[in-house]
Amino acid sequence: MEGHQSFFIRVKHIARALGAVLFPLFCLGCGQEGRLVCETCLLTLESRPVFLCPVCHRHGVRGQCCSLCASQSFLSSVCALFPYDEKDLGSAILRFAKYHSAQSLFSVFEPMIHHFSAHNAWFLSEIDCLMPVPLHAKRLRERGFNQSVSLATILSFSTRIPLVLGLKRTRNTPHQALLSRAKRKENIREAFCVVEPALVSGKNIIVIDDIYTTGSTMQECAKVLKKTGAREVRGFTIARG
Ligand SMILES: [Zn+2]
Ligand SMILES: [Zn+2]
């Protein structure tokens, strides 16, 4: 069964790769034929950092959790590169890359991530490691890559802060995007564990994901990290819903 599955997954990846060759690509921004993001549209991508309280989503200085929400948040702060907007090119790229397994497309965010890290050094100060939100092993085999690892790799390269795969997904939960706000929290509960407590204990950690919407996934990661002894957990995402 396992062998059959991996065979079909391989076929799926080959079919995707062939599809990219056989069928023309159209720019996600302007529709022009040739590339998924044309040179002109690429230049319009810019970092517009979002600094909101992780819980109540009101403006928070440097994305820090406000005093009213402090008791409900395992994340001390969250920063995103831009607000999520269905109509925006950046958000379209995130959706396309994730659901079409176009891992290389994440590299378009590289200049924005470099720009962010160069201008917001305070967010990265005293951080021991970057930790991507993990995918369940089954989903990872289906998709072929974890988008959070791709993004964390770029941030790690930009900041020289080590990337540590310290979290593991223990349950393969339905996609958060398909669920209501209330069901997301329940869906993701107890879905993660720490791989090795020594990687976490006493450390200041930034958890990385592609999109922060209700924050349920990232809060759940932060919860298990704090329970294992992490000193502080911050969150970093590309888009904020
Ligand atoms: Zn274009
Ligand atoms: Zn708040």
Side-chain angles (χ1 to χ4, degrees):
M1 187 63 200
E2 199 66 15
H4 277 95
Q5 261 189 359
S6 65
F7 171 74
F8 284 118
I9 289 163
R10 270 205 303 276
V11 168
K12 205 162 80 181
H13 287 308
I14 293 165
R16 274 192 192 126
L18 277 176
V21 176
L22 298 176
F23 301 102
L25 297 173
F26 296 95
C27 173
L28 292 166
C30 65
Q32 185 191 307
E33 192 178 331
R35 300 173 64 169
L36 272 172
V37 186
C38 76
E39 293 287 342
T40 314
C41 288
L42 197 57
L43 293 173
T44 67
L45 277 177
E46 55 169 6
S47 169
R48 286 171 291 141
V50 186
F51 302 118
L52 303 175
C53 167
V55 180
C56 67
H57 306 271
R58 281 194 278 263
H59 180 76
V61 179
R62 295 183 165 185
Q64 282 164 355
C65 191
C66 74
S67 56
L68 293 173
C69 300
S71 65
Q72 303 166 52
S73 184
F74 296 96
L75 293 160
S76 60
S77 62
V78 170
C79 289
L81 289 185
F82 53 78
Y84 185 84
D85 182 338
E86 297 257 329
K87 300 183 288 293
D88 271 3
L89 176 62
S91 304
I93 292 170
L94 272 183
R95 279 199 309 276
F96 188 94
K98 185 164 162 176
Y99 294 108
H100 292 84
S101 286
Q103 185 175 13
S104 59
L105 197 50
F106 282 100
S107 63
V108 301
F109 296 116
E110 211 167 325
M112 297 166 85
I113 292 175
H114 289 327
H115 186 269
F116 176 86
S117 56
H119 290 83
N120 298 281
W122 47 268
F123 181 68
L124 304 150
S125 70
E126 292 173 21
I127 289 295
D128 297 296
C129 64
L130 308 175
M131 230 173 250
V133 170
L135 285 179
H136 189 268
K138 186 166 181 277
R139 183 145 326 146
L140 183 61
R141 282 199 299 274
E142 286 166 4
R143 189 178 288 166
F145 74 101
N146 176 352
Q147 71 280 4
S148 304
V149 174
S150 305
L151 297 167
T153 305
I154 300 173
L155 186 61
S156 175
F157 182 73
S158 173
T159 58
R160 309 272 171 222
I161 299 172
L163 185 161
V164 174
L165 301 175
L167 285 164
K168 189 178 166 200
R169 199 122 174 178
T170 51
R171 287 196 296 117
N172 193 16
T173 54
H175 282 293
Q176 289 287 84
L178 305 173
L179 302 170
S180 69
R181 203 164 264 262
K183 292 225 170 103
R184 288 183 185 202
K185 202 169 171 183
E186 193 50 41
N187 180 49
I188 205 78
R189 216 155 66 89
E190 312 296 336
F192 303 100
C193 71
V194 164
V195 174
E196 168 57 55
L199 297 171
V200 168
S201 187
K203 302 284 199 301
N204 294 327
I205 300 167
I206 294 181
V207 176
I208 319 265
D209 205 356
D210 52 352
I211 303 172
Y212 189 102
T213 310
T214 65
S216 307
T217 302
M218 211 174 249
Q219 288 284 7
E220 195 63 31
C221 288
K223 183 176 90 180
V224 72
L225 291 172
K226 292 283 277 193
K227 282 188 170 172
T228 314
R231 200 182 322 156
E232 189 189 341
V233 184
R234 301 173 200 167
F236 176 79
T237 64
I238 298 299
R240 172 96 186 220

